[in-house]
Amino acid sequence: IAATGAGKSHIIASIAELVHGMSGKKILCLAPSGELVEQNYAKYRATGALASIYSASLGKKDMKHSVIFGTPQTVANSLRKFDSRFAAVIVDEAHGITPTLKRIIDHMRSQNPLLRVIGLSATPSRMGTGYIYAHHYKTGFRDNAIDPFFHTAIYEIGARALINEGFLTPPVFDTVADHYDALSLAVNSRGQFDAAQIET
């Protein structure tokens, strides 16, 4: 669990490099959009290591390097290629575990029962189902986690800690001299405010 601004792309790069180095196997890093795939790929490449991109939206389906950054739908369309050669799946935006992601992970676990699944999120709680993990390394089991996908949250850093350590800029709140008088506004027949009325 890492707050926005913590550098999840750098964390993903470090984990991928570490797990590949320890296992000698391939690592699949999934992100929900091509934009995030490119961002995570760029941070990994900044370490000096080579990586591949497997994403139709980015026009690339390359698996020649040991660390592969991909989008779930493209990977799901080629599941047979993702086999026992993989040691881990790293999921960015892990609060959004979809049926497609579950299908990928289930398939890869069938190929390698020792497959590690690592998720990163700034928002590990979902409306209606609570936390995405069952156990927290500091606070123990979560009573309000309904069918969580992940077993344990193994690390957490929040915005306050990042601010205190100088990694994030502290927010500054100031009074605003201007204010709006909305007492005379009324909604129209469509239940909306008229633009002309708002501008006056």
Side-chain angles (χ1 to χ4, degrees):
I1 305 164
T4 301
K8 282 185 285 298
S9 293
H10 292 285
I11 296 168
I12 289 168
S14 293
I15 293 171
E17 188 175 34
L18 178 69
V19 176
H20 170 63
M22 290 172 64
S23 69
K25 290 188 165 204
K26 289 182 173 280
I27 311 299
L28 175 61
C29 303
L30 293 170
S33 69
E35 181 183 351
L36 281 174
V37 166
E38 281 186 312
Q39 179 180 308
N40 294 343
Y41 169 83
K43 296 302 188 295
Y44 185 80
R45 289 287 288 122
T47 69
L50 296 174
S52 298
I53 292 180
Y54 203 85
S55 173
S57 63
L58 298 175
K60 297 176 184 175
K61 289 187 179 180
D62 175 22
M63 293 184 66
K64 67 182 169 193
H65 299 294
S66 296
V67 177
I68 300 164
F69 292 85
T71 45
Q73 194 57 58
T74 306
V75 170
N77 290 340
S78 304
L79 277 182
R80 284 179 293 177
K81 294 180 179 181
F82 296 86
D83 52 25
S84 62
R85 294 173 296 164
F86 286 83
V89 177
I90 302 172
V91 181
D92 194 4
E93 303 290 334
H95 53 275
I97 291 291
T98 63
T100 300
L101 279 168
K102 287 180 180 179
R103 187 160 53 94
I104 292 166
I105 292 165
D106 287 346
H107 165 78
M108 292 178 73
R109 275 191 174 139
S110 76
Q111 303 298 302
N112 176 8
L114 298 177
L115 182 81
R116 297 294 182 242
V117 180
I118 304 154
L120 291 91
S121 178
T123 54
S125 183
R126 300 188 70 169
M127 292 287 290
T129 58
Y131 286 94
I132 62 172
Y133 56 87
H135 186 268
H136 190 278
Y137 72 106
K138 280 188 178 177
T139 59
F141 282 97
R142 293 284 189 183
D143 292 336
N144 56 346
I146 300 169
D147 194 25
F149 183 79
F150 294 96
H151 183 271
T152 304
I154 60 170
Y155 183 77
E156 181 172 6
I157 188 154
R160 175 59 49 205
L162 292 166
I163 290 168
N164 291 343
E165 293 177 24
F167 292 109
L168 292 179
T169 303
V172 176
F173 302 97
D174 203 353
T175 57
V176 179
D178 293 332
H179 67 280
Y180 295 98
D181 178 10
L183 293 176
S184 62
L185 294 178
V187 293
N188 60 25
S189 60
R190 297 183 315 274
Q192 300 172 339
F193 293 108
D194 288 320
Q197 220 182 359
I198 293 171
E199 291 176 12
T200 57

